[in-house]
Amino acid sequence: MHERELVIVGAGPAGMAAAIAAHEEGVKDILLLERDQYLGGILNQCIHTGFGIEYFKEVLTGPEYAERFIHNLLGLQGIEVSLKSFVVHLAKNKTLTYLRPGELETVKARALIMATGCREKTREMVHIAGTRPAGIFSAGLAQKLINIEGLLPGKEVVIVGSGDIGLIMARRFILEGAQVKGIIEIQKQSRGLTRNVVQCVEDFDIPMYCRHKIARIHGRDRVEGVDVVAVDEGLNEIPNTGFRIGCDTVLMSVGLIPENELVEMAGVALDKKTNSPVSDTLNTTSIPGIFVCGNAFKVYDVVDSVTRDSAACGRLAAAYLKGSNG
Amino acid sequence: MRPYDVVIIGAGVVGAAIGRELSRYKLTVAILEKSEEVGFGVSKSNSGIIHPGTQNPTGSLKGRLCVEGNRLMRTLARELGLDFKEVGELIVAFDEEETFRLNELKKQAEALGVPRLQIVDKKWLEEHEPNLSREALAALYAPTAASISPYRLVFDLCENAIQNGLELFTESPVQGIVKTRDGFDVQTPRGVFRSRFLVNAAGLYADQIARMVGVTDVTITPRKGEEFILDKKREHMANHLLFPLPSKISKGILVIKTSDGNPMIGPTAQDISDKEDLSTSDDGLKKVLEGAQRMIPSVSADDIIAYFAGLRPVAGEDFIIRHENAVAGCVTAAGIQSPGLTAAPAIARMVVRILKDHGLALKKKFFFRAHQTELRHLFSIPFSVTRRLIKKDPSCGDIVCRCEMVSAKEVREAIERGAKTLDGIKFRTRAQAGRCHGSFCTTRVMKILAEGRKIPLTQVTKRGKGSQIVAGDRRDA
Ligand SMILES: Cc1cc2nc3c(=O)[nH]c(=O)nc-3n(C[C@H](O)[C@H](O)[C@H](O)COP(=O)(O)OP(=O)(O)OC[C@H]3O[C@@H](n4cnc5c(N)ncnc54)[C@H](O)[C@@H]3O)c2cc1C
């Protein structure tokens, strides 16, 4: 088994920023593992604009934002990028087992940064009753189907939750010629950025039902409709306020959960509610030398802050390596 | 066309087990199934428990077949390469009266022939089941209870029967049956299937099929059971299958160890009228959570990653397995409610015996291939073996489903072995069955399926006709 100074898992904006920052601090033996076949992570499917406003003072699309870091990163000596590399096991002593085409590799890291991002909450996690037909998607999956695969998930869409991906997907569906029949938000107001509410919802006259929730999903083979009901301050259903919206698609945009199953496997303590590492300081975990950054550490609103905080994580790991060397 | 010796209607666990049993003999046998895949009826949505035979009235047919089925399932699972986990069950008593009833249950079960029963006390429970509620006083321990993957059982029974000569026709709903002088003409959209003998194993629709041959005394009432699947992180919260004391209509809310590792809680029991109503409810969730927390107080709604409802086909208290004397050659297997999964191999034997008694000649085939290769999951084996497999075939290490770590190789193999839908792939491989619910892997699985079946992506379905995943291609719009 070989040993590496710093191993970073995940080459989205967080992993790339951390790698570049650690390199700047003098770490010259970095292995960056990414399970996909390209760098950039989720940015690749975010073809809308709105990235980089803080960091570059420019308005970029997701892939454009990623490209700036990819370009920078690939020019650096001392960072080895390994694509199609899927980490399947992490031990407490920072030994990683990963798959890459034709191989099962093991590598021991002196310091480790996990930048594995988030997954979306599902319909099941918010326990919506009813049937389980085709036509229920997470907003991110719908985005991938449209933007990457060129497929239209459905024609009459109801969106559950008003997170940013949901709002952006509402506009996307309309531009694809589909109908968005409503956005159902249980809170008093949208949880998305104001600019997304204006540009994606209000400009297209999409009905937004705040303080409402989906009580039931109908349809045997494919979604046929949803029951919507108003809720009070305590989020309890208000009797006799229910109504049905006919639709063939339900899009779930009810929040993100940090993906930390690997560090959990190594014994890092996670918060049971948020799935983030339990920690007082940014990017650290209960195991010295294992760091977590980006959306895996906490869910961020914009990528610019991910870049900023993940760069800090790269420097933190560099300092840790210096300290343990010295 | 030469008539079949036997046509079986329905490819649930019962029809599949009968088909496999008949495939031992020199006979022509066909199974007609209305769904796109086998096992998509009642047999895919249940608790997957191989019951020991407790909780059945002495003298009941289902009790006797359950005990026999539990015994037969061991050989069957070994032959088919299925994961059979003998985890044992505890029927837990929470007060003096319940503790007293345990003795009664034990006697009843022993009369049915359930082996190795034992009443265990609080101290035993604290040692062997540390997360169990402190309120538990004693339990009836049945070590022969086990869990199995119910859908894989059906897939493998069918696959093995087909290897031994059985013919399977999916998307072939039986629409009418004509009794002829020496057999039956069974009508489907694929045409007429002629047969000397007929077996009705149509699950929830066994009453419909019975009426087609003029049998009117079978009525199936669906009894709904809602179940909730928990994150694999909770795999070790219980060491046994945990049962409360049974009521008149059900075994109560259980904490279930499944063969795939994810614990499950449920099922509810509610008589309904609509045989297609597979919806779950807020009320069901509440009841199941309360019931499960009574056993394991630390279970929480946050642990839930999936849920479903199944319908038990109830026709009175017991199974109905008989030759229809008014319709010579027709055998009914109806009302196969719980423990039907367990009993299936015993039901199969019984049905074959009835067929024989009514004139079906049984001659053993010289070559009967009982064994079949197991679908091996990359991470249920040690890393050293995984490494060797990947070196030999890189597609073993090409991970499609990241939550359950399912490879492209496994998905392709599932398709080669009969999966035609996304659910078919999920049930066989667990791809899309993990905590992200397919958010990450659905597109990749769709592509492999489209490629394997040579269909466009727009034709890929979740579980058959009408359940297309997407509405269309953007470029066509
Ligand atoms: C919630 C729940 C939990 C359960 N838990 C357990 C358990 O833990 N252990 C246990 O032993 N048992 C359990 N059971 C019971 C078990 O699932 C059933 O007894 C068993 O699956 C019944 O199998 P089947 O083959 O009779 O029915 P099915 O699986 O429904 O098979 C019947 C088949 O017939 C087909 N069909 C119907 N009509 C036609 C037609 N006209 N033409 C062609 N085909 C047709 C259907 O599509 C279907 O595939 C449970 C049941 C439920 C609902």
Side-chain angles (χ1 to χ4, degrees), chain A residues 204-225:
Chain A
F204 292 94
D205 292 326
I206 297 170
M208 170 101 107
Y209 302 91
C210 288
R211 277 274 150 81
H212 279 76
K213 74 173 209 180
I214 300 243
R216 227 175 157 78
I217 295 176
H218 297 275
R220 202 182 72 119
D221 298 320
R222 176 86 197 190
V223 173
E224 285 163 16

Side-chain angles (χ1 to χ4, degrees), chain B residues 9-16 32-35 37-51 66 172-175 201-206 208-209 212 223-227 251 254 267-268 308-313 319 333 336-343:
Chain B
I9 302 171
V13 70
V14 173
L32 307 179
E33 168 54 53
K34 72 176 160 103
S35 301
E37 293 204 36
V38 305
F40 273 25
V42 183
S43 300
K44 78 166 183 332
S45 5
N46 55 57
S47 311
I49 300 172
I50 301 305
H51 291 289
C66 179
S172 306
V174 172
Q175 294 162 320
L204 287 164
Y205 297 91
Q208 227 175 51
I209 299 292
M212 290 182 196
R223 182 172 293 157
K224 190 193 276 191
E226 300 181 29
E227 308 224 39
K251 302 185 183 74
L254 326 177
T268 54
F308 63 85
L311 304 177
R312 307 168 185 86
F319 296 165
I336 312 299
Q337 48 173 300
S338 192
L341 182 75
T342 312

Side-chain angles (χ1 to χ4, degrees), chain A residues 22-75:
Chain A
H23 188 271
E24 279 168 4
E25 290 295 304
V27 185
K28 293 290 144 70
D29 176 26
I30 301 176
L31 175 63
L32 178 57
L33 299 172
E34 166 57 48
R35 63 181 148 206
D36 237 317
Q37 41 202 324
Y38 35 71
L39 299 167
I42 203 72
L43 288 174
N44 289 298
Q45 70 184 60
C46 303
I47 60 172
H48 52 281
T49 60
F51 299 89
I53 301 169
E54 270 172 47
Y55 196 80
F56 291 114
K57 310 277 180 269
E58 274 181 71
V59 183
L60 306 172
T61 67
E64 285 166 353
Y65 186 91
E67 188 44 43
R68 301 210 169 176
F69 291 88
I70 295 171
H71 184 78
N72 190 350
L73 185 89
L74 295 180

Side-chain angles (χ1 to χ4, degrees), chain B residues 108-175:
Chain B
Q108 228 177 52
E110 276 166 348
L112 273 167
V114 181
R116 304 195 340 250
L117 293 170
Q118 190 189 336
I119 291 185
V120 295
D121 61 9
K122 197 173 170 61
K123 191 157 155 281
W124 189 99
L125 290 173
E126 278 169 10
E127 186 180 332
H128 293 88
E129 205 58 88
N131 296 327
L132 184 67
S133 162
R134 296 281 154 215
E135 316 266 302
L137 295 182
L140 177 60
Y141 175 39
T144 52
S147 50
I148 203 165
S149 157
Y151 17 86
R152 264 170 248 150
L153 173 61
V154 184
F155 297 147
D156 287 356
L157 281 168
C158 285
E159 197 184 339
N160 185 245
I162 291 167
Q163 283 174 352
N164 287 299
L166 173 132
E167 293 175 49
L168 168 69
F169 299 88
T170 52
E171 291 180 280
S172 306
V174 172
Q175 294 162 320

